[in-house]
Amino acid sequence: MAGTFAAGMQLAMSRMRAIRKTLSALTAAMALPMLLGGCAMVTVQSRGPGDYIAMTRGDVLSTGKLSQSGLETLRVAGIEPKTCRPDSAVCAQQLDQVEGVAAERRLAAQSELWTARAIALTGKKPAQMSDAALQAWLEAARHAYAYLFFSERSPGERAFEDRQTQVRDYYNYATQQVVASLFARSRTAGPQDGDSARVGPWQVRVDLSAYRLPGGSNQPQAIVAASSLRFDGLRSSYRRDGFGAELVAEVSPEAVGDPAGLALQQPANGSPRWRRGQPSFSEMPYAPATVLLKFEGASLGEVLHTHAVTMVPYDPYRQDEVVLHGQRVPLAGNFTAAYGLWLAQSGFAAQSLRSMLGRERGIDRAHLYLMQPYDPDRRILLMLHGLASSPEAWVNVANEIMGDEALRRHYQIWQVYYPTNAPIAFNRAEIQDLVARTLHRFDPDGNAAASRNMVLIGHSMGGVIGRLLVSSSGEAIWQSLLAEHRTRLQGERGEHVRRKLEPVLHFQPLPQVDRAIFIAAPHRGTPRAEGGLGRFVGRLVRLPATLLERFGDVLQDLSGQDQQGGDGTRFVPPTSIDNLRDTDPFIRATADLPISRRVRYHTIVGHRDPSVPLAESDDGLVPYRSAHLDGAESEKAIVSWHSVQETPQAILEIRRILHEQMRSDAGPWP
């Protein structure tokens, strides 16, 4: 039995050895033709959504590794990608020696390889960039430029291709790095050869013919990459995709006459520097810029061998495209970064509080900020903030308006910054004079579109001032406020008082305004200003020294003698807090003044508690009955606290009104 089992096992093992020999022979027979023919085995793998995005969009800028397209180009050229890791510039130069690779594909890969090399050389301190790193960035920009304008197809023919988007990004980022590095060098060593700088064999020239710095400054004091900024407090960042590096140029507060910036620089006991011949209006000290590097040459060969390049900045508000080598190219633009940086660095919050309390380093007269350089072809949006506030009140309103391309083409924003401790009548007169003088400065004949059909937007006390700017006073205010002083205002003294107060108490509508939006404005005052908190704050408020200096003799005349009233009390003019009380004589005298017939006006009101009927409601500070205006073309009630202008619903309503005005415009617009 045992012998039979052992014999069976030997037979089975013999058969297995025979089968293995047969399989080996078959395998060898199959492999021989493949080896002789050079064939490769092909396998397939499935990819998920993440793999798709990584393969089509991932590149050296987003992942730190070469893109799939770049790797494939190297492999097609017979270059092992691993050999490029120590120095990718070597592989970029090797591609020039390989025939059979289309110029378009080769230039795209070279731009990415030079970008990888530049990143490696730049390290963690871009401000201290070496010449080698800077030259690598110039090479990355040069090869991207050649790809875009001198390869087989035009940019428009590749409009939907991911690879072109990647190469455009290499160019934009390289340009940003070049500009930042050269600016840092100029700040320490000064520009070389006038408007040019030399970097190794490269000669970089600067052409400012298409760009103007705020205030007409000669040179910025700082340049910031817009892509490096992130803002808290802004709901959206608005930009335009396109060609060029998105930057922010900063000039000194002295260059533009910015009172907020100057107040930050001076010591607490210093005199207000903006009084010394500074203008009463200014541009923001921060401005957007889109910068291009233009490489000399009219052919692919010339561009790839030149070392002459021109740096050209553009204003994205004024220019949205440029013609390069016969191609219309959209310019990139960032419309939020400069505005956000200005507000973040302005010190408005502290200064506006100092202004209301009449403290040092506040403001004592109205100032006008131009959000963009004056444009005669765009309508003006004139914005007035409320009590103890500043241009910061409009942070999202202005950003959302300028983020709307259609509105951006039709409107320019002017923001009034005024001392909110001064009486409303005084601020109204100052602001009207300020706007008129500024318009006359830019358009003496009043023929520009910007001098007509202005839109006024006012929040809270700014809304009250705004309504008075489009109203007629007649004799109502004069007769109401000075009735009790008539016995003392006889003869020469009365003429003197009338002459000094005429501009304040007698006024006509601002003729340029044809539309107004009043937001949470206490046109008939508010009982909250009469309450304990209102009176407590009112006692802290000091009138501007300039007002007391200007009208001190009038106060004395009104008091009869030594500024003493008939009952022996000192005559003290009302502050803005006094004017906001619903019992204030001025607010009562102006409540029913007629608004100009040519002005179409709208109201936006806060409705703090939706369970309360609108007619009986308030926004926490202003009753509906005070914010409501008969005759308004529209009224929007929004569930909100008093700062209703910051709500998305209010901003959408403002944009709706502005678009409506655009549609009704009869004249041609850009």
mmCIF file of all heavy atoms in Angstrom, residues 11 28 58 73 76 91 114 133 148 151 208 213 229 270 324 396 403 407 422 429 485 490 507 519 558 584 635:
data_model
loop_
_atom_site.group_PDB
_atom_site.id
_atom_site.type_symbol
_atom_site.label_atom_id
_atom_site.label_comp_id
_atom_site.label_asym_id
_atom_site.label_seq_id
_atom_site.Cartn_x
_atom_site.Cartn_y
_atom_site.Cartn_z
ATOM 1 N N LEU A 11 5.068 10.079 -9.795
ATOM 2 C CA LEU A 11 4.486 10.319 -11.133
ATOM 3 C C LEU A 11 3.902 11.731 -11.218
ATOM 4 O O LEU A 11 4.077 12.429 -12.205
ATOM 5 C CB LEU A 11 3.405 9.257 -11.394
ATOM 6 C CG LEU A 11 2.686 9.386 -12.760
ATOM 7 C CD1 LEU A 11 3.681 9.246 -13.910
ATOM 8 C CD2 LEU A 11 1.602 8.298 -12.856
ATOM 9 N N ALA A 28 8.909 32.097 -22.999
ATOM 10 C CA ALA A 28 10.072 32.532 -23.771
ATOM 11 C C ALA A 28 9.703 32.767 -25.221
ATOM 12 O O ALA A 28 10.164 33.707 -25.858
ATOM 13 C CB ALA A 28 11.185 31.484 -23.657
ATOM 14 N N GLY A 58 -2.584 71.082 -11.737
ATOM 15 C CA GLY A 58 -1.438 71.143 -10.836
ATOM 16 C C GLY A 58 -0.154 71.482 -11.562
ATOM 17 O O GLY A 58 0.116 70.965 -12.652
ATOM 18 N N THR A 73 6.500 66.729 -21.715
ATOM 19 C CA THR A 73 7.395 67.364 -22.681
ATOM 20 C C THR A 73 8.830 66.903 -22.473
ATOM 21 O O THR A 73 9.563 66.621 -23.440
ATOM 22 C CB THR A 73 7.309 68.897 -22.559
ATOM 23 O OG1 THR A 73 5.969 69.321 -22.816
ATOM 24 C CG2 THR A 73 8.246 69.585 -23.552
ATOM 25 N N VAL A 76 9.143 63.305 -23.787
ATOM 26 C CA VAL A 76 9.139 63.285 -25.257
ATOM 27 C C VAL A 76 10.494 63.723 -25.804
ATOM 28 O O VAL A 76 10.978 63.220 -26.821
ATOM 29 C CB VAL A 76 8.003 64.197 -25.796
ATOM 30 C CG1 VAL A 76 8.166 64.440 -27.293
ATOM 31 C CG2 VAL A 76 6.651 63.555 -25.524
ATOM 32 N N CYS A 91 17.790 71.736 -17.640
ATOM 33 C CA CYS A 91 16.847 71.041 -18.519
ATOM 34 C C CYS A 91 16.153 72.021 -19.455
ATOM 35 O O CYS A 91 15.863 71.682 -20.614
ATOM 36 C CB CYS A 91 15.820 70.293 -17.681
ATOM 37 S SG CYS A 91 16.517 68.880 -16.782
ATOM 38 N N TRP A 114 12.036 77.370 -15.645
ATOM 39 C CA TRP A 114 12.692 78.566 -15.120
ATOM 40 C C TRP A 114 11.984 79.075 -13.863
ATOM 41 O O TRP A 114 12.616 79.595 -12.935
ATOM 42 C CB TRP A 114 12.734 79.660 -16.189
ATOM 43 C CG TRP A 114 13.884 79.519 -17.143
ATOM 44 C CD1 TRP A 114 13.821 79.206 -18.472
ATOM 45 C CD2 TRP A 114 15.275 79.691 -16.835
ATOM 46 N NE1 TRP A 114 15.081 79.173 -19.018
ATOM 47 C CE2 TRP A 114 15.989 79.458 -18.043
ATOM 48 C CE3 TRP A 114 15.982 79.998 -15.678
ATOM 49 C CZ2 TRP A 114 17.385 79.546 -18.100
ATOM 50 C CZ3 TRP A 114 17.370 80.082 -15.729
ATOM 51 C CH2 TRP A 114 18.062 79.861 -16.932
ATOM 52 N N ALA A 133 18.668 84.657 -8.880
ATOM 53 C CA ALA A 133 17.224 84.443 -8.758
ATOM 54 C C ALA A 133 16.458 85.419 -9.638
ATOM 55 O O ALA A 133 15.501 85.052 -10.324
ATOM 56 C CB ALA A 133 16.795 84.593 -7.304
ATOM 57 N N LEU A 148 3.256 83.047 -25.438
ATOM 58 C CA LEU A 148 1.958 83.705 -25.628
ATOM 59 C C LEU A 148 1.864 84.424 -26.968
ATOM 60 O O LEU A 148 0.806 84.416 -27.602
ATOM 61 C CB LEU A 148 1.701 84.681 -24.480
ATOM 62 C CG LEU A 148 1.431 84.051 -23.110
ATOM 63 C CD1 LEU A 148 1.510 85.096 -22.004
ATOM 64 C CD2 LEU A 148 0.075 83.369 -23.099
ATOM 65 N N SER A 151 4.539 81.920 -30.574
ATOM 66 C CA SER A 151 4.471 80.497 -30.929
ATOM 67 C C SER A 151 3.447 80.303 -32.049
ATOM 68 O O SER A 151 2.919 81.266 -32.604
ATOM 69 C CB SER A 151 4.146 79.643 -29.701
ATOM 70 O OG SER A 151 2.965 80.096 -29.094
ATOM 71 N N LEU A 208 6.647 104.939 -17.421
ATOM 72 C CA LEU A 208 5.495 105.364 -16.627
ATOM 73 C C LEU A 208 4.494 106.171 -17.445
ATOM 74 O O LEU A 208 3.603 106.810 -16.872
ATOM 75 C CB LEU A 208 5.972 106.203 -15.433
ATOM 76 C CG LEU A 208 6.783 105.470 -14.360
ATOM 77 C CD1 LEU A 208 7.316 106.453 -13.327
ATOM 78 C CD2 LEU A 208 5.953 104.390 -13.684
ATOM 79 N N LEU A 213 0.853 108.013 -10.458
ATOM 80 C CA LEU A 213 0.755 107.724 -9.029
ATOM 81 C C LEU A 213 -0.159 108.730 -8.343
ATOM 82 O O LEU A 213 -0.306 109.867 -8.815
ATOM 83 C CB LEU A 213 2.144 107.773 -8.394
ATOM 84 C CG LEU A 213 3.063 106.583 -8.685
ATOM 85 C CD1 LEU A 213 4.489 106.923 -8.286
ATOM 86 C CD2 LEU A 213 2.588 105.343 -7.945
ATOM 87 N N LEU A 229 -2.332 89.763 0.051
ATOM 88 C CA LEU A 229 -3.173 90.420 1.049
ATOM 89 C C LEU A 229 -4.469 89.648 1.262
ATOM 90 O O LEU A 229 -5.092 89.178 0.308
ATOM 91 C CB LEU A 229 -3.501 91.850 0.608
ATOM 92 C CG LEU A 229 -2.305 92.774 0.373
ATOM 93 C CD1 LEU A 229 -2.767 94.102 -0.202
ATOM 94 C CD2 LEU A 229 -1.540 92.998 1.672
ATOM 95 N N GLY A 270 1.744 117.533 18.339
ATOM 96 C CA GLY A 270 2.121 118.242 17.119
ATOM 97 C C GLY A 270 0.957 118.998 16.520
ATOM 98 O O GLY A 270 -0.203 118.685 16.758
ATOM 99 N N LEU A 324 -0.651 93.951 -27.812
ATOM 100 C CA LEU A 324 0.724 93.470 -27.815
ATOM 101 C C LEU A 324 0.948 92.616 -29.044
ATOM 102 O O LEU A 324 0.264 91.600 -29.235
ATOM 103 C CB LEU A 324 1.027 92.662 -26.555
ATOM 104 C CG LEU A 324 1.030 93.419 -25.218
ATOM 105 C CD1 LEU A 324 1.173 92.438 -24.067
ATOM 106 C CD2 LEU A 324 2.150 94.445 -25.182
ATOM 107 N N ASN A 396 -17.872 98.045 2.689
ATOM 108 C CA ASN A 396 -18.425 97.051 1.764
ATOM 109 C C ASN A 396 -19.271 97.680 0.666
ATOM 110 O O ASN A 396 -19.355 97.134 -0.431
ATOM 111 C CB ASN A 396 -19.238 96.002 2.534
ATOM 112 C CG ASN A 396 -18.345 94.971 3.209
ATOM 113 O OD1 ASN A 396 -17.584 94.273 2.557
ATOM 114 N ND2 ASN A 396 -18.423 94.895 4.528
ATOM 115 N N GLY A 403 -16.707 96.614 -7.448
ATOM 116 C CA GLY A 403 -16.586 95.247 -7.930
ATOM 117 C C GLY A 403 -17.559 94.923 -9.043
ATOM 118 O O GLY A 403 -17.415 93.906 -9.726
ATOM 119 N N LEU A 407 -20.980 99.238 -13.094
ATOM 120 C CA LEU A 407 -20.953 100.432 -12.244
ATOM 121 C C LEU A 407 -19.562 101.048 -12.239
ATOM 122 O O LEU A 407 -19.420 102.284 -12.216
ATOM 123 C CB LEU A 407 -21.386 100.087 -10.821
ATOM 124 C CG LEU A 407 -22.819 99.578 -10.642
ATOM 125 C CD1 LEU A 407 -23.100 99.310 -9.167
ATOM 126 C CD2 LEU A 407 -23.834 100.560 -11.212
ATOM 127 N N ALA A 422 -19.112 119.147 14.712
ATOM 128 C CA ALA A 422 -19.586 120.459 14.283
ATOM 129 C C ALA A 422 -21.095 120.439 14.051
ATOM 130 O O ALA A 422 -21.672 119.391 13.719
ATOM 131 C CB ALA A 422 -18.868 120.884 13.011
ATOM 132 N N ALA A 429 -22.636 123.587 4.954
ATOM 133 C CA ALA A 429 -22.035 124.679 4.202
ATOM 134 C C ALA A 429 -20.611 124.335 3.775
ATOM 135 O O ALA A 429 -20.203 124.602 2.629
ATOM 136 C CB ALA A 429 -22.054 125.954 5.032
ATOM 137 N N HIS A 485 -33.345 136.482 19.163
ATOM 138 C CA HIS A 485 -32.241 137.428 19.229
ATOM 139 C C HIS A 485 -32.511 138.707 18.445
ATOM 140 O O HIS A 485 -31.609 139.539 18.316
ATOM 141 C CB HIS A 485 -30.954 136.775 18.678
ATOM 142 C CG HIS A 485 -30.572 135.511 19.377
ATOM 143 N ND1 HIS A 485 -30.018 135.499 20.636
ATOM 144 C CD2 HIS A 485 -30.700 134.207 18.989
ATOM 145 C CE1 HIS A 485 -29.791 134.238 21.001
ATOM 146 N NE2 HIS A 485 -30.196 133.440 20.016
ATOM 147 N N GLN A 490 -30.017 144.498 15.772
ATOM 148 C CA GLN A 490 -30.452 145.696 15.074
ATOM 149 C C GLN A 490 -29.228 146.441 14.534
ATOM 150 O O GLN A 490 -28.130 146.369 15.101
ATOM 151 C CB GLN A 490 -31.238 146.617 16.016
ATOM 152 C CG GLN A 490 -32.460 145.954 16.661
ATOM 153 C CD GLN A 490 -33.513 145.562 15.652
ATOM 154 O OE1 GLN A 490 -33.715 146.267 14.657
ATOM 155 N NE2 GLN A 490 -34.186 144.446 15.884
ATOM 156 N N PHE A 507 -29.292 128.678 1.919
ATOM 157 C CA PHE A 507 -28.630 127.829 0.937
ATOM 158 C C PHE A 507 -29.599 127.356 -0.136
ATOM 159 O O PHE A 507 -30.816 127.363 0.050
ATOM 160 C CB PHE A 507 -27.970 126.623 1.607
ATOM 161 C CG PHE A 507 -28.854 125.877 2.569
ATOM 162 C CD1 PHE A 507 -29.738 124.898 2.121
ATOM 163 C CD2 PHE A 507 -28.796 126.138 3.939
ATOM 164 C CE1 PHE A 507 -30.534 124.201 3.012
ATOM 165 C CE2 PHE A 507 -29.592 125.445 4.832
ATOM 166 C CZ PHE A 507 -30.465 124.470 4.370
ATOM 167 N N ILE A 519 -30.012 106.831 3.966
ATOM 168 C CA ILE A 519 -29.999 105.544 4.673
ATOM 169 C C ILE A 519 -30.044 105.786 6.177
ATOM 170 O O ILE A 519 -29.150 106.418 6.741
ATOM 171 C CB ILE A 519 -28.739 104.736 4.305
ATOM 172 C CG1 ILE A 519 -28.597 104.608 2.781
ATOM 173 C CG2 ILE A 519 -28.775 103.362 4.949
ATOM 174 C CD1 ILE A 519 -27.291 103.981 2.331
ATOM 175 N N LEU A 558 -24.534 137.538 19.373
ATOM 176 C CA LEU A 558 -25.777 136.856 19.739
ATOM 177 C C LEU A 558 -25.991 136.887 21.247
ATOM 178 O O LEU A 558 -27.126 136.914 21.733
ATOM 179 C CB LEU A 558 -25.743 135.401 19.247
ATOM 180 C CG LEU A 558 -25.826 135.208 17.724
ATOM 181 C CD1 LEU A 558 -25.643 133.744 17.375
ATOM 182 C CD2 LEU A 558 -27.154 135.726 17.174
ATOM 183 N N ASP A 584 -34.612 119.582 18.937
ATOM 184 C CA ASP A 584 -33.676 120.625 18.569
ATOM 185 C C ASP A 584 -34.320 121.629 17.614
ATOM 186 O O ASP A 584 -34.968 121.242 16.627
ATOM 187 C CB ASP A 584 -32.447 120.006 17.901
ATOM 188 C CG ASP A 584 -31.437 121.040 17.472
ATOM 189 O OD1 ASP A 584 -30.841 121.679 18.347
ATOM 190 O OD2 ASP A 584 -31.271 121.216 16.245
ATOM 191 N N GLU A 635 -38.703 103.112 -1.253
ATOM 192 C CA GLU A 635 -38.322 102.963 0.151
ATOM 193 C C GLU A 635 -38.114 101.484 0.421
ATOM 194 O O GLU A 635 -38.975 100.652 0.118
ATOM 195 C CB GLU A 635 -39.400 103.515 1.081
ATOM 196 C CG GLU A 635 -39.043 103.362 2.558
ATOM 197 C CD GLU A 635 -40.106 103.964 3.474
ATOM 198 O OE1 GLU A 635 -41.097 103.258 3.749
ATOM 199 O OE2 GLU A 635 -39.949 105.133 3.873
#
